Amino acid sequence: FDGVFGGSARAKDLVTAMLAHDEKDRLDIAECLRHPWLDCPTTVQPLSENALRALARGSKKSKTKKRFLLEAAVRIPPHEVEHINSVFKALDTDGNGVLSIVEMSSGLEKLGMEIPAAEATAKQLDLDGNGEIEYTEFLAGLASHCAVQFKHALWTIFCKYDTDHSGHINAQQLMTLMQQGHLNEARLLKNEAAAHRLLSCMDTDGDHLISFDELCCYLLPECM
């Protein structure tokens, strides 16, 4: 049951008891409903001061960086960032699974952010401009607060496009990467020259290639 219900031990215990081969060991409906896993209330934890700063910092990143982090965010299993999930649910006051600009800004105000800054941050987190902040957009805004998980996700992306297994990404591979998923939706690269310009922003050692460390340093400099 690893990976089921976020790997919860209580969830595993409940499912095991429900599937017991011997009927006398199997839980009936009433016993299932009394099980600690179903009876345990979800604790909503507040956004910490560090996370609040990370959110404000993340909202100010360039469009390219935000899109890279959004591409990484979709690859992070929710059970790895349970605290963030709890905060998102608390901010989602109407329970529709997304945050409106009003919900987001109101939540930030309650956490101590000034009204103008809260409204600006909320709008900047809405990457696709549809007036709503999806879970992955919210998570992407907190990348520096979940650096370990984001680095793992970025490593997966890096390895996928390091097609020759050289440990580096060249301009052509970068262009291929930028033409996929959320990166392609933003139409960030219009030609190969743009890919070379972006590569030069990431390439700190001047070898005209991007290493994984350089990618992380570009996207999450505050965590390096």
Side-chain angles (χ1 to χ4, degrees):
F1 297 115
D2 291 339
V4 178
F5 305 116
S8 165
R10 284 182 173 179
K12 292 179 188 179
D13 178 70
L14 172 59
V15 174
T16 300
M18 289 171 65
L19 297 176
H21 179 71
D22 193 325
E23 188 174 348
K24 70 176 185 294
D25 295 327
R26 196 179 309 144
L27 297 182
D28 60 27
I29 294 176
E31 289 172 323
C32 287
L33 292 175
R34 290 196 298 270
H35 191 276
W37 186 68
L38 292 177
D39 191 46
C40 182
T42 301
T43 301
V44 176
Q45 301 182 34
L47 197 64
S48 69
E49 187 176 338
N50 286 340
L52 188 61
R53 282 199 295 265
L55 200 57
R57 193 165 51 235
S59 70
K60 295 176 182 176
K61 289 181 181 290
S62 70
K63 183 183 291 188
T64 300
K65 292 182 180 182
K66 287 179 180 178
R67 285 286 171 169
F68 257 108
L69 293 172
L70 182 60
E71 188 68 17
V74 301
R75 299 167 186 264
I76 299 175
H79 72 263
E80 291 187 8
V81 283
E82 289 183 351
H83 174 61
I84 303 304
N85 302 341
S86 178
V87 173
F88 184 86
K89 289 176 183 177
L91 293 171
D92 181 19
T93 54
D94 63 5
N96 68 344
V98 296
L99 303 179
S100 67
I101 300 300
V102 172
E103 284 176 324
M104 185 73 247
S105 59
S106 176
L108 292 173
E109 288 170 38
K110 291 176 182 177
L111 292 166
M113 189 177 283
E114 296 292 333
I115 294 177
E119 292 177 348
T121 297
K123 291 176 181 177
Q124 289 165 346
L125 289 171
D126 176 22
L127 298 184
D128 55 14
N130 67 352
E132 296 176 334
I133 300 164
E134 286 80 17
Y135 169 75
T136 48
E137 290 177 321
F138 181 74
L139 181 57
L142 284 164
S144 63
H145 193 64
C146 314
V148 172
Q149 292 86 349
F150 269 87
K151 285 180 181 178
H152 287 166
L154 288 170
W155 176 245
T156 300
I157 295 171
F158 184 89
C159 290
K160 179 179 179 179
Y161 293 96
D162 175 21
T163 52
D164 56 2
H165 309 294
S166 66
H168 294 83
I169 289 178
N170 59 33
Q172 186 58 50
Q173 291 166 330
L174 177 61
M175 191 154 186
T176 301
L177 166 58
M178 298 295 288
Q179 292 170 343
Q180 306 298 317
H182 293 290
L183 293 163
N184 184 49
E185 289 172 6
R187 299 290 190 271
L188 297 171
L189 290 190
K190 302 188 184 302
N191 50 49
E192 191 170 344
H196 281 283
R197 285 195 296 272
L198 178 57
L199 186 146
S200 67
C201 292
M202 302 183 190
D203 176 25
T204 56
D205 62 9
D207 64 355
H208 306 294
L209 298 168
I210 304 169
S211 69
F212 179 64
D213 283 344
E214 286 174 328
L215 177 64
C216 289
C217 190
Y218 173 74
L219 296 174
L220 298 167
E222 60 273 21
C223 300
M224 299 301 287

